[in-house]
Each structure stands twice: as C-alpha cells, then as structure tokens.
Amino acid sequence: MAKAVLPKKLTPATRIAPAAGRMIDAKTDEVQSFLAAALGGDVEGVHDLRVALRRLRETLRLFWPAVPRPRRRLMAQVIELNECLGRVRDHDVLADHVRALLQRAPEAASTLRPVLAAWAATRQRAWEEFADLWQRLAGRGRFLRRLRRLARATRKSRGGVADLSLDRLAHTAVLARLERVEQRLTAAQSGDDPAALHRVRLAVKRLKYTLEPFLRVFPSLASSYEVVSETQELLGLAHDLDVLKAALSEHFRGGRPAEAEPAFLALAAWREQAHAAARESLIALTDEAWRRGLLDALD
C-alpha cells in the first residue's frame, strides 16, 4: 500500500477549516498520482487508487462540518467511484489468494486455473465499468478540479466548527472511532463468528483512516497507528478468505468436482489460521497502556 500523502506545517492549533482544505488538496494529489496506472488497468495502480479514493472519502467525512454545504454533492461521486473501483480490486484480491491457494494445494490446479480465467474476465468487465464511470463523472480533469475548488472554499470557511483547533477535532474523532472498536471487540474475540470479526474489522479500519491525517500533527501517534494498521491487515486477510470460500462455493454451486477437494481443505486450514491470528491481534487493542498511549499522543 502506498504511503499516505499528508500536508506539512499543520499544528494542533491550526484552525480546522484551513487544515481541512490542505488535507483535501493532499488527498487530491494522492488520487491524481495513481490515475494513469489505474486507468491503464494495472493491478497495483488499481490498488493504490482504491486506497487513495478511500482516504479521500474518509478525509471528507472527518472534516465534514467544515465543508461548504453547496459543494457536499461531490461526496456522492467520491463514494460511487470508490465502490466501483472496489469491485475491480475485489477480483484482484481473490485472484491473488487463489494463486496462493495453488501453492498450498497444487494438485487442485486443474480446477483452480479455470476459476482464475473466469474471474479474470469478470474483473475486466468491472474495470471497464470503472473506466466508463470515470469518464462520465471525472473525464478531462473535472473531478480533480472540483476537489481543488472544494479545498479552496473549505480553507475560507468561518464560524462554528471551522474555527476550532485541529487538536479538538482529533481528540473527538479518534475517541469516537476507538469506542466503536471497543464496543465490537468482545463479540469478535469470543467464538467463531465471521460476521462479528467483520464488524470489528470495519471499526478498526475506520480508526486507522481517522488516525492517518494526524500522523504529522501528532508524531507520537505513530506507534499506536502501527498497532491498528497491523491488526487491520490480519483482520483483512481473515475476511478475504471468508469471501474466497463463498466465491469458490458459488463458482462450483452446480457440483464440486473431486479434484477441487484439496483446495477446499487447504483453504479451510488457511482460513482457520487467519482467523486465529486476527483474534490474537485484537488483544493489543484491549491493552489499557496502549489505549492511554493513543489518547496521550493527542494531548
């Protein structure tokens, strides 16, 4: 994953409005840097642009109170583009995991390789849908220009939340995301419920994206952020393998050939390991010293 682009020279005392404008500009730069590769169909380019669009979406959500109302319709386009590109990325992730599964169960190659071919065709259609959507919503630089105008307008916002300091927003936003994680931890750590693990994964991911914009403003957040990021990666793998299991079952819904059994057995073992590692990683987020360190970093 490409490193987040963050503006320089922000401080805890910076007003939220100019900070938000500069952050939107930084996220626009990030989106722009990966456009050519993603629109060319490159797998890594698609991944990097997907992350950049997600970071842009979460930045807009974080600074929402300071965003001028007439321009908020841009958020709907950010969400639509992110979701459309996500369907492309989902196929790339599935393909990566099928290739890894081939290493674990090479005897299943005769059944898994046709799966890869079929999913590659579906991925191509999803990518074409994204390319068409981009041209319709954002062609000739329209989307990027709208974001630049939004950044300028946001920097000029006055009154209410816009005039508060950045540290006020950081503390409030991070605490809210942290509490959501904590609300979902117990259910995720007990038993073997993929849905509970998925819910805490979403909460951890949102905490991660809420912390990111403040990493330069509060440098001591770095160690807490790394814990969250590592946990999110492990939770993500567990979720990906749940999705892979469902996708393979759907692919063979007409009848699973005997040659596919080694792949399903290998996937079951891999999935069990991933779920165990994901649940183990959640222990770090229950540590009171870690929680105190996270909140102290924002003071």
Side-chain angles (χ1 to χ4, degrees), residues 58-79:
E58 294 306 312
T59 294
L60 290 174
R61 285 175 175 169
L62 177 64
F63 292 103
W64 200 241
V67 175
R69 289 183 181 277
R71 301 177 189 271
R72 289 184 177 182
R73 62 185 179 274
L74 186 59
M75 174 63 105
Q77 295 181 352
V78 173
I79 292 172

Side-chain angles (χ1 to χ4, degrees), residues 209-222:
Y209 282 115
T210 299
L211 289 171
E212 265 188 357
F214 301 113
L215 289 176
R216 277 189 171 165
V217 183
F218 303 97
S220 54
L221 272 178

Side-chain angles (χ1 to χ4, degrees), residues 130-200:
F130 169 73
D132 289 344
L133 178 64
W134 181 268
Q135 288 304 316
R136 181 159 47 85
L137 295 183
R140 299 181 182 274
R142 292 191 302 274
F143 180 67
L144 298 176
R145 286 197 299 272
R146 293 187 197 108
L147 287 170
R148 300 294 185 192
R149 287 197 296 269
L150 179 64
R152 289 195 298 271
T154 301
R155 281 197 295 270
K156 297 174 183 177
S157 294
R158 287 285 180 179
V161 173
D163 289 331
L164 297 179
S165 58
L166 198 55
D167 59 346
R168 291 274 299 276
L169 175 65
H171 193 276
T172 300
V174 170
L175 185 59
R177 292 301 191 195
L178 180 59
E179 288 177 347
R180 180 57 64 89
V181 170
E182 292 170 343
Q183 289 167 2
R184 299 180 179 186
L185 275 174
T186 301
Q189 287 180 296
S190 59
D192 184 23
D193 181 5
L197 206 62
H198 175 56
R199 285 192 292 270
V200 79

Side-chain angles (χ1 to χ4, degrees), residues 245-259:
K245 177 184 176 183
L248 286 174
S249 297
E250 173 65 18
H251 183 85
F252 292 114
R253 67 185 182 279
R256 187 190 302 177
E259 294 85 352

Side-chain angles (χ1 to χ4, degrees), residues 91 94 115 118-119 122 242-257 264 267:
H91 282 91
L94 284 173
V115 172
W119 288 355
T122 307
D242 288 339
V243 173
L244 178 59
K245 177 184 176 183
L248 286 174
S249 297
E250 173 65 18
H251 183 85
F252 292 114
R253 67 185 182 279
R256 187 190 302 177
F264 278 89
L267 176 56

